[in-house]
Amino acid sequence: MNTLVAPPPPLVSPVDFDLDPAATGLELLRRWAQRADRVGGFPQRLAARPVEFDEGSVRIVCDLDPGHANFMDLVHGGVSAALVDVAGGSAVMTILEPGQSLLTTDLSMRFLNAAPVDCARLETVGRIIFRDARKAVVEATVSTTDGLVIAQGTVGVSIRAAR
């Protein structure tokens, strides 16, 4: 019988981010960008953070480490999917009014190229292509820093009323 002993998971802090209901989504995104290394949870594990944003668009960077690799020593496709999701939510975040929140409702992906984990960084640009009062659709492209497109995706996002 083979016994497998997995190494302990990397240390990730619990989520530590103040979702101030009086702040606009753009203000919350600005706060995330200013303290990206200390927000905890999945954003910290993914090592993704917003670096450029304006109403309806965002650019997210993800600094890669060995934990982003699959068994083929390539960036795992789930990393690209997560980046598309993060870019979708972040682009919609730029248009939220105080008290509103968001929730991804659907995600579609097209994987176009493999990214070696030693490429160091992926960038994802998300742009709103449709919006009304209750929903938005974002197109997102994941690329290496030298411009190789890794994946493209579309994210449906529900805009939830202030409570």
Side-chain angles (χ1 to χ4, degrees):
M1 176 194 238
N2 292 325
T3 303
L4 300 176
V5 178
L11 296 177
V12 175
S13 306
V15 173
D16 180 23
F17 189 77
D18 178 23
L19 284 175
D20 179 359
T24 66
L26 197 54
E27 291 168 334
L28 293 172
L29 196 59
R30 213 174 272 117
R31 288 180 196 167
W32 177 23
Q34 290 170 350
R35 55 181 305 242
D37 60 333
R38 301 181 313 273
V39 297
F42 188 69
Q44 180 185 352
R45 175 57 216 118
L46 186 60
R49 65 190 184 284
V51 292
E52 274 179 48
F53 43 90
D54 200 359
E55 186 175 323
S57 67
V58 67
R59 184 167 68 96
I60 303 287
V61 298
C62 174
D63 294 318
L64 299 173
D65 63 45
H68 292 99
N70 61 19
F71 293 140
M72 305 301 291
D73 209 28
L74 301 169
V75 175
H76 192 284
V79 173
S80 295
L83 288 171
V84 166
D85 184 38
V86 168
S90 297
V92 174
M93 196 176 215
T94 68
I95 64 168
L96 294 183
E97 296 173 10
Q100 288 182 320
S101 61
L102 57 84
L103 182 68
T104 298
T105 58
D106 63 90
L107 175 79
S108 64
M109 292 289 303
R110 192 166 306 275
F111 298 97
L112 303 170
N113 287 294
V117 77
D118 64 0
C119 72
R121 175 178 278 181
L122 293 178
E123 298 185 358
T124 307
V125 175
R127 288 188 179 83
I128 295 175
I129 59 169
F130 171 85
R131 73 187 253 201
D132 65 20
R134 298 184 327 154
K135 62 190 163 301
V137 177
V138 177
E139 284 186 343
T141 302
V142 180
S143 306
T144 61
T145 55
D146 61 358
L148 177 66
V149 176
I150 302 304
Q152 292 182 319
T154 306
V155 185
V157 180
S158 170
I159 299 171
R160 303 169 76 192
R163 298 181 204 193

